[in-house]
Amino acid sequence: MAEFNNGPRGGGNDRGGNSPRGGGNDRRGGNDRNKDNDSRTGDSDLKEKVVAINRVAKVVKGGRRFSFSAIVVVGDGNGTVGYGLGKANEVTDAIAKGIDDAKKNLVKVPLYKHTVPHKMEGKYSGGFVLVQPAAAGTGVIAGGAMRAVFESAGIKDVLAKSKGSSNPHNVVKATFDALLKMRDPMQIAQARGITLAQVFNG
């Protein structure tokens, strides 16, 4: 009986001794941690702002099934900004997907003294917005969806008005349309061969 009992114990020790799975898990865990650290260092300067969260109810045989969609704006506060849409069965997962989508769609918008260079209109579907520069100290005079875009882009003084749809998706996309149509005054001065003061004062 003693030899018979030692056999399974020995097999158990062999299985315990042959523990590449444990070591493999440790190695995989280390790689995952390294990847997370790399992603954090690359995106550490981006700040996220949740613009709107929408709950969608789907009626099924057993009752209602809820899902969530979130539109998120990310930016570094220095002219780089992007927006994304995420959908999931949980709010946190929807926001995380929206952040990942926004980081894939980053764009560079021109800034001049913490405001926009000139007046511009933007349109997307039913959304229509008007954006114009403001004097230093004015602040961000804009609605919720537009404010998130301006603050993420680093615009501190601006006058903006939404004249169309109040749908946050359309407002955000119309705001991006207006910002992307603006021209950098430095590039205009170089192309024309004039000074920056002559660009604004004629």
Side-chain angles (χ1 to χ4, degrees):
M1 290 296 294
E3 295 178 356
F4 179 79
N5 290 335
N6 287 336
R9 287 176 186 167
N13 291 335
D14 290 340
R15 287 195 297 272
N18 296 332
S19 57
R21 295 178 182 175
N25 289 336
D26 292 340
R27 288 192 295 271
R28 286 197 296 271
N31 291 337
D32 291 341
R33 285 193 294 270
N34 292 335
K35 291 179 181 178
D36 292 342
N37 292 334
D38 293 341
S39 62
R40 290 193 191 101
T41 54
D43 299 331
S44 59
D45 56 343
L46 294 177
K47 297 181 180 179
E48 304 92 10
K49 289 183 180 293
V50 179
V51 177
I53 299 176
N54 187 32
R55 188 183 73 174
V56 179
K58 179 182 179 182
V59 179
V60 295
K61 185 176 181 180
R64 293 181 180 178
R65 185 170 297 172
F66 294 101
S67 62
F68 299 89
S69 64
I71 182 168
V72 185
V73 176
V74 302
D76 64 351
N78 194 27
T80 300
V81 66
Y83 71 92
L85 176 65
K87 298 180 181 180
N89 294 329
E90 298 292 337
V91 176
T92 54
D93 295 337
I95 294 175
K97 287 183 179 180
I99 293 172
D100 292 338
D101 187 33
K103 289 178 180 178
K104 296 176 184 176
N105 300 309
L106 293 174
V107 295
K108 188 73 174 178
V109 298
L111 301 179
Y112 179 72
K113 294 183 179 179
H114 301 293
T115 186
V116 292
H118 55 85
K119 183 177 178 181
M120 182 56 68
E121 296 176 347
K123 189 177 186 306
Y124 181 86
S125 187
F128 181 76
V129 299
L130 173 65
V131 181
Q132 61 185 16
T138 303
V140 178
I141 310 299
M146 300 175 69
R147 176 182 294 272
V149 178
F150 294 139
E151 290 179 349
S152 298
I155 299 173
K156 298 180 180 179
D157 303 298
V158 66
L159 297 172
K161 178 68 177 176
S162 176
K163 298 183 176 182
S165 170
S166 60
N167 186 331
H169 296 263
N170 290 337
V171 173
V172 168
K173 294 175 182 178
T175 305
F176 269 85
D177 179 61
L179 293 176
L180 292 176
K181 289 192 295 186
M182 291 187 178
R183 301 179 64 186
D184 189 358
M186 292 297 295
Q187 294 180 355
I188 296 176
Q190 292 177 359
R192 296 181 180 177
I194 57 178
T195 62
L196 195 61
Q198 290 176 321
V199 173
F200 290 101
N201 299 328

